[in-house]
Amino acid sequence: MVEKNIIVVGSGFGGLAAAALLGRNGYQVTVIEKNEQVGGRASVWKKDGFVFDMGPSWYLMPDVFEKFFAEFGKKPTDYMDLVRLDPAYRVFFSTHDSVDISKNLQKNLDLFETLEPGAKEKMKEYLEKSQYEYDIAMRDFIYKDYKHLTDFFKPKLIVEGTKLHMFEKLDSYAKRYFHSEKIRQILEYTIVFLGGSPYDSPALYSLMSHVDFNLGVWFPKGGIGQLVHAMFTLAKEQGVSFVLNEPVKKIQISQAKATGVITEKKTYDADSVIVNADYAWADTHLIEKKYQSYSNHYWEKRKIAPSAYLLFLGLDKPIKKFVHHNLYFHPQWGQHFDDIFKKCQWPKSFSYYVSCISKTDPMAAPKGCENVFVLVPVAPGLEDTDDIREIYFNKTIDHMEKLAGENIRDHIIVKRIFAHNDFSQRYNAYKGTALGLAHTLKQTAIFRPRHQSKKVKNLYFTGHYNHPGIGVPMVIISSQILADVIKNR
Ligand SMILES: Cc1cc2nc3c(=O)[nH]c(=O)nc-3n(C[C@H](O)[C@H](O)[C@H](O)COP(=O)(O)OP(=O)(O)OC[C@H]3O[C@@H](n4cnc5c(N)ncnc54)[C@H](O)[C@@H]3O)c2cc1C
C-alpha cells in the first residue's frame, strides 16, 4: 500500500519545512499545532502597536534559505523583502567601549588591526579557513543523515574532521590566532546561537565566522515573522492543511506502526507521523514507553541547550546608542558560560543581547517608539519564579541604562517577561530549553537523536534536536534530510 497521508505534530520551522517538502512530493500533509499560530519558537506577539518576534531575530546563512526555496522553484525574495544590515551589529565591551561590525569586510579587518596589531592578516587567514570549513561542512557533513556509526566514522570523514578541527575546542583554536580577548569574544559569541560554549564546542564552529563576516547579517522586512509567513504560504501552496489550537495528546502506535495521533478534540489517522514538537518531551510524553526511541535516563544525561530570559519591551522613545542588533560582553564572560553549562545556576554577572528591530522596520513599533527585545542566555531547568524574574528585570534594565546612557525604565509602556516556564508551557520545551540539544562533540551528527524512530518504522522526528542542530537554517536542513529519508525508504 502506498503511504500517502502524513501528520506533522508541530509547526515550527522544522514542521513547516517538512510539510512543504512532503506536500511537494505528493503526500497529503496535515500539520497539527498546539498554539494559536504557526512558527513555534518564532512566534509573533503583538501588543499596543508593537510587533515582537518572540524568538529568532538573526537571519543568517542566506544560502540555506535560497537552497530551500529553490526546491520549489522559488526564491526567498518572492515572499519577503530582505535587507543586509549595516552595521551588522554593535558590540559593547563596557559602558564606554563599543565597536561596530560592518557589512564591509575591509572595515572589519581595519577594526581588528586597531584591537591587536597584526590581527588584520591573521583574520584574513582565519576567515579563509572558516570559509573552507563551511564549504566542506555543507558539502560533506551537514546535509546528510547519519544512521550508523559507520556513516560517521569513515576514514575520509575522520581525515576531513581533523582538518575541520572537529576534535579541538573553539576557544583554544581562536587563542592560537588572537591574543585580544575582544577579538576572541567577537569570533566566539556566535556559538551561543548554537546553544554551545566556546570552551566545550568543536572548533569546527569557527565556520560561523564565515557566516557572520562574509555571508552577512540579514533582516526580513516585517521581522522573522515574515519568514514564518513565507514558509507557511509555501506549504499551503503545496496543498498542506493546518490545524491550530490542538495539542496532540498521544501518538497512536499499534504493532510497532504509527496509525495516527489523538488530540483533545479528535483522532487523526495517518500512514506516517512526523514529530516536530520537542523531541525529548514528545518521546517521553506522547509515545508509549515501550516505543520510546530513547529512555528517560538517556534524556536526563543529554547536555540540554540553554534557556533564555527574555524581555519584550515597548518604549515610548528610541534608544539613541543602540542599533538593530546589540551585544554586551561582560568582562568575565567565562563565568557566565560556567553558570550556564557547569554550575547550572542563574548567572551572577552576564552578557546579553538587545535587538531593536524598529531601527530598521518602523512598522514594528508605533511612531517615535522603540521595539526592544532582550535576551540573557541562562541554564535550562532553573527555578523560574516571579521574584527571580523581577530581580533579573531590574539587573538588566539597570545595566542597559548604563550602556545606553539614558533612562529606560520610566519609558516602558509594554512589558512582558518570558522564561523557562513559558518555554515549557508554550512549546512543551524539555527543561524549559530555548534551543533544544546543545552542540558538543558528543552530540554532533550520529550522536544526535535520529530522524527515524528506533522502534516505529513510520514515525519520524525533525527540528533542533536532530542533526544538523540548532538555529533556523539548521532546522530547515533537518527537514530536507528527513524528506529524503522518507523518499528513499
Ligand atoms: C529566544 C530565541 C532566539 C533565537 N535566535 C535565533 C536567531 O537569531 N537565529 C536563528 O537562526 N535561530 C535562533 N533561535 C533558534 C531557532 O529559533 C530554533 O532553532 C528553531 O526555531 C526551532 O525550530 P523547531 O521547528 O525545531 O522547534 P519549535 O519552533 O519549537 O517548533 C515546535 C512546534 O511544536 C509545537 N508543539 C509542541 N508540542 C506539541 C503538541 N503536543 N501538539 C502539537 N504541537 C506541539 C510547538 O508549539 C511548536 O510550534 C532562537 C531561539 C530562541 C528561543
Side-chain angles (χ1 to χ4, degrees):
M1 195 185 80
V2 183
E3 296 187 348
K4 290 295 286 177
N5 176 10
I6 296 187
I7 300 263
V8 179
V9 181
S11 69
F13 281 112
L16 291 173
L21 290 163
L22 293 165
R24 180 208 58 186
N25 290 354
Y27 292 95
Q28 248 179 328
V29 185
T30 306
V31 179
I32 304 181
E33 166 58 50
K34 87 182 260 293
N35 290 330
E36 75 296 344
Q37 57 179 295
V38 297
R41 300 300 209 270
S43 291
V44 172
W45 181 56
K46 295 182 183 171
K47 177 86 176 154
D48 299 342
F50 292 90
V51 182
F52 296 96
D53 280 322
M54 294 175 68
S57 51
W58 297 65
Y59 185 103
L60 299 171
M61 302 170 77
D63 52 327
V64 171
F65 297 100
E66 296 281 344
K67 195 166 169 173
F68 176 74
F69 279 86
E71 295 228 28
F72 305 86
K74 307 271 186 180
K75 300 192 290 296
T77 46
D78 293 337
Y79 295 87
M80 58 197 163
D81 286 337
L82 283 171
V83 285
R84 186 165 174 182
L85 297 176
D86 195 20
Y89 51 94
R90 179 163 292 170
V91 175
F92 292 87
F93 298 107
S94 70
T95 48
H96 53 276
D97 184 8
S98 67
V99 297
D100 281 359
I101 300 301
S102 164
K103 76 172 182 184
N104 179 321
L105 181 59
Q106 198 53 48
K107 276 194 189 169
N108 295 329
L109 295 174
D110 292 341
L111 168 72
F112 275 33
E113 189 66 25
T114 65
L115 298 175
E116 176 180 323
K120 185 175 186 168
E121 289 309 313
K122 284 192 205 155
M123 184 59 186
K124 281 188 195 163
E125 193 191 318
Y126 189 91
L127 274 182
E128 255 172 47
K129 290 229 170 91
S130 168
Q131 173 159 10
Y132 168 79
E133 285 167 358
Y134 186 83
D135 292 344
I136 298 283
M138 283 304 197
R139 199 190 64 204
D140 293 338
F141 282 95
I142 304 272
Y143 281 89
K144 273 216 168 91
D145 188 36
Y146 295 93
K147 276 201 191 114
H148 309 288
L149 279 175
T150 46
D151 294 337
F152 189 60
F153 288 108
K154 286 183 179 149
K156 181 172 171 255
L157 284 191
I158 292 176
V159 173
E160 291 292 5
T162 311
K163 276 198 239 158
L164 294 179
H165 311 288
M166 190 82 114
F167 309 109
E168 187 180 358
K169 301 286 188 273
L170 179 60
D171 183 61
S172 50
Y173 177 73
K175 271 192 181 127
R176 286 206 270 123
Y177 282 84
F178 304 102
H179 302 295
S180 157
E181 192 176 20
K182 289 179 182 174
I183 293 183
R184 292 205 309 272
Q185 286 178 329
I186 294 171
L187 298 180
E188 291 175 6
Y189 84 91
T190 46
I191 198 67
V192 177
F193 289 143
L194 300 175
S197 147
Y199 307 107
D200 198 27
S201 301
L204 163 68
Y205 293 117
S206 60
L207 59 79
M208 288 302 287
S209 293
H210 170 62
V211 170
D212 195 357
F213 287 86
N214 294 333
L215 301 180
V217 178
W218 296 76
F219 176 71
K221 277 268 172 87
I224 293 286
Q226 290 305 311
L227 175 61
V228 172
H229 187 67
M231 305 248 317
F232 176 57
T233 308
L234 188 69
K236 284 202 296 189
E237 286 168 1
Q238 314 308 313
V240 175
S241 313
F242 286 86
V243 177
L244 298 180
N245 290 311
E246 264 193 64
V248 168
K249 294 278 165 209
K250 194 174 177 205
I251 295 170
Q252 271 191 316
I253 301 170
S254 170
Q255 295 175 341
K257 194 168 184 298
T259 57
V261 304
I262 303 174
T263 71
E264 278 170 352
K265 292 188 187 151
K266 60 188 255 199
T267 299
Y268 294 82
D269 294 332
D271 297 313
S272 295
V273 174
I274 295 174
V275 177
N276 168 235
D278 187 289
Y279 202 142
W281 180 86
D283 202 28
T284 51
H285 287 78
L286 297 183
I287 296 167
E288 201 184 328
K289 201 162 186 179
K290 67 175 176 179
Y291 291 125
Q292 275 182 219
S293 279
Y294 301 95
S295 65
N296 293 11
H297 179 72
Y298 167 92
W299 289 117
E300 263 313 306
K301 292 282 169 203
R302 289 315 89 192
K303 184 81 105 193
I304 296 300
S307 187
Y309 174 84
L310 304 178
L311 299 176
F312 309 125
L313 304 175
L315 265 58
D316 66 6
K317 63 162 189 180
I319 305 180
K320 290 189 208 72
K321 260 178 88 177
F322 288 175
V323 293
H324 185 118
H325 292 305
N326 310 271
L327 296 158
Y328 167 67
F329 296 151
H330 194 279
Q332 275 92 43
W333 86 325
Q335 281 177 16
H336 188 182
F337 284 111
D338 278 356
D339 284 337
I340 298 172
F341 292 99
K342 292 197 178 137
K343 297 182 181 156
C344 300
Q345 62 187 17
W346 282 92
K348 289 200 174 51
S349 49
F350 50 87
S351 304
Y352 58 92
Y353 158 64
V354 182
S355 145
C356 303
I357 63 169
S358 39
K359 299 280 183 206
T360 312
D361 186 3
M363 301 303 282
K367 202 164 185 293
C369 296
E370 196 84 282
N371 176 318
V372 182
F373 167 98
V374 185
L375 188 161
V376 182
V378 289
L382 298 180
E383 189 189 14
D384 171 16
T385 63
D386 287 346
D387 286 350
I388 295 174
R389 286 176 176 224
E390 259 338 272
I391 290 169
Y392 276 83
F393 172 77
N394 286 320
K395 279 186 178 207
T396 312
I397 297 297
D398 285 349
H399 196 272
M400 275 170 66
E401 288 187 335
K402 286 187 196 143
L403 270 198
E406 59 182 298
N407 181 298
I408 291 175
R409 184 175 268 97
D410 298 336
H411 294 271
I412 297 172
I413 51 176
V414 168
K415 169 183 166 186
R416 181 173 176 188
I417 303 177
F418 196 95
H420 301 76
N421 292 346
D422 302 290
F423 280 107
S424 298
Q425 280 157 25
R426 185 166 170 80
Y427 308 118
N428 285 328
Y430 184 68
K431 298 189 176 179
T433 176
L435 299 172
L437 194 67
H439 283 261
T440 61
L441 181 57
K442 288 185 192 150
Q443 295 183 168
T444 294
I446 181 73
F447 303 115
R448 291 185 87 75
R450 289 167 45 161
H451 280 98
Q452 186 162 19
S453 157
K454 285 183 162 185
K455 310 261 175 70
V456 182
K457 251 186 137 183
N458 60 340
L459 176 61
Y460 305 91
F461 297 84
T462 187
H464 49 189
Y465 280 78
N466 293 98
H467 170 74
I470 296 171
V472 179
M474 294 297 124
V475 165
I476 288 175
I477 294 171
S478 168
S479 292
Q480 286 173 290
I481 294 170
L482 174 62
D484 282 346
V485 168
I486 293 178
K487 197 166 149 192
N488 299 326
R489 68 188 166 180

